[in-house]
Amino acid sequence: MEEYRQPIILLFVALYMVACIWVGLWAMRRTKSAGDFFVAGRGLGPWVVSLAVFSSTLSGFGFVGGPGLVYATGLSSIWMAVCSALGFATGYYLIAKRIRMIAEVRNAMSLPDIVFARYGSDAARLLTAGTILLGVLGYLATQILAMGVVLQSILAGTEMFANISLIASIAISSAVLIFYCVTGGIVASVYTDLVQGIVMIIAGALVVITAASVFGGGFAEATDILLASDGEDVMPFGTLGPMASLSWYFLFGLGLAGQPHVATKMMMNRKLSDNKVILPMTVFGYVIAAMLWVSVGIIMRALVLGDVALPLSGADEAAPAFLSTYAHPVLAGVVFAGLFAAIMSTADGFLNIGAAAIIHDIPKALRGRSLNNELFWARTATIVLSLVAAAIALSSGQLIAILGAFGWGTFAAALVPVVLIGLNWKQASARAAIASITVSLIINFAIQIFQIQIPYAISGGFLAMLTSMILFIGLSLLEKPKPLPKDIDRIMEL
């Protein structure tokens, strides 16, 4: 079967691409309004929501970028992966119920709608929508770049497409993505998440078992190789050190509650009581699938340092190279198909909230109402966002995980104070929300654009989040509390 490895992998990926087109056409028949396109009519069951939440959080960031970051820096990035489980618990215990109830009583379709309902400020709504749009471009570029890298790795192993470029790979995968997203909206995304979430859980466990069998002595032998070569790789804080690792810990632990694609899915469940089921299912699925992040990165680094394999041309090739070389062909095909599913459904989610920001939230903030024929303009905005994000992906020159961390940090720094604290503290003010979002964006983008090196490799997103939280709390304490609308006040009491 080994001689048919590449055809088997290509077959699974091709079948998935065809399935995406079918899902898009099927979902298009169920997408009759902007509410269907953006929040699936708020009628999804707990299985669908939980798998959609965890798989959209992991996606290309975790399945491609995660192993690449472990390959490049050792165990530093494990602090991203481990603490995300804490982030799910924080989000579901502190804000999920309130977000779902506000969405019900105010007919909210997006996170900026929730922010407006809480603060009564068009400026806060506008800044939230702007933050989402900026963060989406960074995070969406991560997904598109991951798709291109994986597809190039697969096609390069065939004789016909041996010299295919990254640009061509991104063009092919983006074409399928655009069709899938434009036709089906969030409905296509969440139902694909249901299937690919199950695939990710099963495949994640099987890949870990496969990784453990690469060396005769399992992970212990791989660890010995790393210890003999450097040693910092497998230390608790990896090669980047404790300050970088701990800054990622807090950014990803608290920051999950500020991710708009997660908050949007909190509006979709059919009943509030579903959250009791959604949280443990989400955490379980994420933990199993995230084991691939660490195991593949460690094994590939040990193979290279132990002179068993040639050095990779890029760290982001760690997962594709491992699957193409060491996994059983059928398992590799299933994981590659599941990987494309994870990336594509996550990209759909980001395109969805980005399109909502453009045609629903920003017009509402500026002129008091959204655009006419929202469904048409949502699909148009989806195409434009895809093309812009693809251009960013090609020009960034960064590791997938670092590009994803920037998008995550943009959301976390701007929205954690406004959403996580604001939905649990009545004294939080609109002025504080406006100031904290503005300052966080300035800090985040200044660090990214000017490539400012922060001492001890501390994450720029963490620095921006810490500053915005202090500013948000301080300004709110200085202001006299204002009475909330009765419906919001009652929800805050729960």
Side-chain angles (χ1 to χ4, degrees), residues 140-367:
L140 185 57
T142 304
Q143 308 305 319
I144 290 175
L145 183 57
M147 279 196 298
V149 168
V150 173
L151 188 61
Q152 184 186 33
S153 175
I154 295 170
L155 293 176
T158 65
E159 185 176 346
M160 182 180 296
F161 301 104
N163 297 316
I164 191 167
S165 67
L166 181 61
I167 295 175
S169 300
I170 286 178
I172 294 169
S173 52
S174 294
V176 177
L177 170 67
I178 290 172
F179 179 86
Y180 165 78
C181 298
V182 167
T183 53
I186 201 67
V187 175
S189 174
V190 294
Y191 279 101
T192 303
D193 281 338
L194 177 63
V195 177
Q196 61 100 352
I198 296 170
V199 171
M200 286 168 70
I201 293 171
I202 297 172
L206 291 176
V207 167
V208 172
I209 295 170
T210 302
S213 65
V214 170
F215 290 101
F219 288 114
E221 184 176 344
T223 302
D224 288 340
I225 293 172
L226 296 178
L227 286 170
S229 175
D230 187 346
E232 286 190 349
D233 309 67
V234 287
M235 293 295 104
F237 299 114
T239 61
L240 296 182
M243 295 302 293
S245 300
L246 292 176
S247 68
W248 278 343
Y249 177 85
F250 287 105
L251 179 63
F252 281 79
L254 290 175
L256 190 136
Q259 303 305 304
H261 57 296
V262 175
T264 301
K265 289 180 172 66
M266 290 176 178
M267 303 181 201
M268 297 180 186
N269 52 301
R270 197 176 297 124
K271 298 181 294 183
L272 281 174
S273 58
D274 288 345
N275 286 333
K276 295 178 180 179
V277 180
I278 292 171
L279 175 57
M281 287 169 54
T282 299
V283 173
F284 172 78
Y286 180 87
V287 169
I288 298 298
M291 290 192 297
L292 181 149
W293 177 318
V294 179
S295 61
V296 170
I298 287 292
I299 292 297
M300 287 305 299
R301 190 171 176 89
L303 286 167
V304 171
L305 292 178
D307 295 325
V308 179
L310 294 173
L312 302 177
S313 58
D316 286 330
E317 294 180 12
F322 175 85
L323 292 172
S324 296
T325 307
Y326 298 100
H328 187 279
V330 173
L331 175 60
V334 170
V335 174
F336 272 123
L339 177 57
F340 270 99
I343 294 170
M344 206 161 289
S345 60
T346 301
D348 188 3
F350 280 111
L351 283 168
N352 199 265
I353 60 175
I358 293 173
I359 62 96
H360 178 78
D361 301 310
I362 293 176
K364 267 195 168 183
L366 294 176
R367 62 177 194 165

Side-chain angles (χ1 to χ4, degrees), residues 24-41 109 182-187 373-376 378-379:
L25 293 171
W26 170 80
M28 185 167 62
R29 294 195 294 269
R30 298 191 54 168
T31 306
K32 306 297 183 183
S33 66
D36 293 334
F37 192 87
F38 292 132
V39 291
M109 290 195 298
V182 167
T183 53
I186 201 67
V187 175
N373 195 2
E374 278 189 316
L375 188 55
F376 168 79
R379 286 171 166 155

Side-chain angles (χ1 to χ4, degrees), residues 8 104 108 113 157-158 171 191 193 225 241 253 272 290 303 324 333 335 346 374 377 392 425 436 443 463 468 481 488:
I8 290 172
E104 186 72 30
D113 281 346
T158 65
Y191 279 101
D193 281 338
I225 293 172
L272 281 174
L303 286 167
S324 296
V335 174
T346 301
E374 278 189 316
W377 288 112
I392 293 172
W425 187 34
S436 64
I443 295 173
L463 187 63
S468 67
I488 303 300

